[in-house]
Amino acid sequence: MTASESRQITLTESPAGKLLASNFGLETVAVPTAGDGELLIRVLYISIDAANRAWMQGRTYRDQVLPGTKMAGGALGEVVVSNDPAFAPGDIVEADMGWCDYVALPASQVQKRKQRGPLTHLLSILGITGKTAYFGMLHIGKPLAGETVVVSAAAGAVGSVAGQLAKTRGARVVGIAGSDKKCKWLTDELGFDAAINYNNEPVMKALKRDAPDGVDVFFDNVGGDIFEGVLFRMNTHGRIVCCGAVSQYDTDTPTHGPRGVPGLIVTKRLKVEGFIVMDFDGQAEAEAELAGFAAQGSIKVAEDIVEGLENAPQALVGLLSGENYGKRLVHVADPQG
């Protein structure tokens, strides 16, 4: 039986500087009605991503999230009511549902998902997170056996998978993270060859020790000073995969730089490429390969689950400050089908 009310979290004011949980509000609204060709969906898990913060700053690959509107975000849900013959109640689906209990969406905006292993894997290793790491590392970075790969924000959702994917290709992998505890986790639990705490020492100096032969592939989630530090250690014909710039998201005063651009890019003949995961064909094949890696234990799936819709704002604030290990999710409800 469907509830009559649905909670939703709205952005009440645009953040000035660092994001605060107080920038959000929790309100109760009527459960929406599914119209012709639409689905009523009960939200199960919400994906918490650094990109959520970037959406508040202006239009990116999607519209800006404005004050007074429901917070946007990818989620996994269960169909409650279907007005489209391709879907049935009980189906597990993924879409940009936003931060809420229930949502009505056109079926054309919803993707049906087949469960493989734990349900949460559909938003982590088998979701946009895993596929971002997969296409960025394997299709753009293209690491070869014996090459040195560096991954920034390596203990995060995408970075932790990207580094492990490079290991499956026989590369030597160095992670960059923000604490000694995370660095130890990367080497002891995920199999990275070395890890650098950027709060302890300059990245460029640390790479002289941990990547003495230079860097062939840099998978960057951070930008800023860390990008600059790795840039100066890149080998000729190296590849830089620009996945994100989390150091620039949670501030109203982005840093300048990095130095060395475009000079080092030219003299070292570097390939620098940004990407959005939706650009790539072969999504089903990527998911199948990632599922195989997870089942074999070649990739350890790290998930950081926060309980309760009401805690989604703090979950995002915490992610931006580096609390999470692996993929951060908010658990809203369990499936009933």
Side-chain angles (χ1 to χ4, degrees), residues 11-334:
L11 182 67
T12 56
E13 59 180 350
S14 295
K18 287 191 174 298
L19 184 70
L20 302 172
S22 59
N23 294 132
F24 299 91
L26 178 66
E27 61 182 34
T28 301
V29 298
V31 170
T33 300
D36 290 343
E38 291 189 335
L39 311 174
L40 176 64
I41 303 166
R42 184 169 182 252
V43 177
L44 304 177
Y45 288 93
I46 295 170
S47 176
I48 303 295
D49 303 287
N52 295 152
R53 177 65 178 90
W55 299 341
M56 302 173 200
Q57 294 178 319
R59 182 175 176 81
T60 54
Y61 52 85
R62 55 153 297 135
D63 291 338
Q64 182 180 359
V65 178
L66 297 171
T69 61
K70 181 176 70 173
M71 182 60 198
L76 197 68
E78 180 181 31
V79 175
V80 178
V81 176
S82 173
N83 291 329
D84 184 285
F87 295 86
D91 284 349
I92 299 298
V93 294
E94 183 179 357
D96 185 349
M97 301 180 196
W99 293 6
C100 58
D101 287 315
Y102 290 90
V103 64
L105 291 173
S108 60
Q109 297 179 13
V110 176
Q111 179 187 6
K112 189 183 297 187
R113 299 300 306 273
K114 178 181 178 182
Q115 186 170 352
R116 303 188 189 198
L119 191 62
T120 52
H121 281 196
L122 295 176
L123 284 180
S124 60
I125 186 68
L126 304 182
I128 289 176
T129 294
K131 292 171 188 173
T132 296
Y134 180 93
F135 288 112
M137 181 59 77
L138 302 186
H139 285 234
I140 299 176
K142 298 179 180 178
L144 302 175
E147 289 191 319
T148 296
V149 174
V150 172
V151 181
S152 62
V158 173
S160 61
V161 177
Q164 293 183 83
L165 283 169
K167 290 296 296 180
T168 69
R169 297 302 195 260
R172 183 174 189 277
V173 180
V174 180
I176 302 173
S179 72
D180 289 341
K181 185 177 179 182
K182 283 189 172 183
C183 288
K184 182 175 175 58
W185 180 70
L186 289 171
T187 56
D188 293 358
E189 298 295 326
L190 301 191
F192 282 54
D193 297 283
I196 295 165
N197 179 353
Y198 63 83
N199 285 312
N200 284 353
E201 57 185 332
V203 167
M204 185 168 64
K205 177 182 176 182
L207 284 173
K208 291 179 181 179
R209 177 192 68 234
D210 291 328
D213 297 325
V215 178
D216 300 295
V217 179
F218 176 32
F219 192 104
D220 184 39
N221 295 294
V222 176
D225 292 340
I226 289 176
F227 184 101
E228 179 180 302
V230 181
L231 178 64
F232 278 83
R233 295 294 299 159
M234 292 297 298
N235 287 331
T236 301
H237 298 298
R239 289 86 74 197
I240 298 177
V241 184
C242 294
C243 181
V246 69
S247 69
Q248 309 298 301
Y249 296 160
D250 200 23
T251 177
D252 54 5
T253 56
T255 58
H256 295 287
R259 294 173 297 173
V261 175
L264 287 173
I265 295 173
V266 174
T267 58
K268 294 190 175 186
R269 284 85 86 195
L270 302 177
K271 177 183 178 182
V272 182
E273 185 172 344
F275 72 103
I276 300 295
V277 67
M278 290 81 80
D279 295 342
F280 289 87
D281 296 325
Q283 300 279 330
E285 292 82 356
E287 184 172 330
E289 189 168 3
L290 288 164
F293 284 139
Q296 298 159 12
S298 302
I299 292 180
K300 294 184 179 179
V301 183
E303 296 175 337
D304 188 336
I305 300 175
V306 175
E307 289 292 333
L309 174 66
E310 67 278 5
N311 292 318
Q314 187 56 50
L316 177 55
V317 170
L319 178 139
L320 293 169
S321 66
E323 282 182 359
N324 61 301
Y325 286 68
K327 177 64 180 175
R328 177 156 278 192
L329 304 168
V330 170
H331 175 225
V332 180
D334 293 318

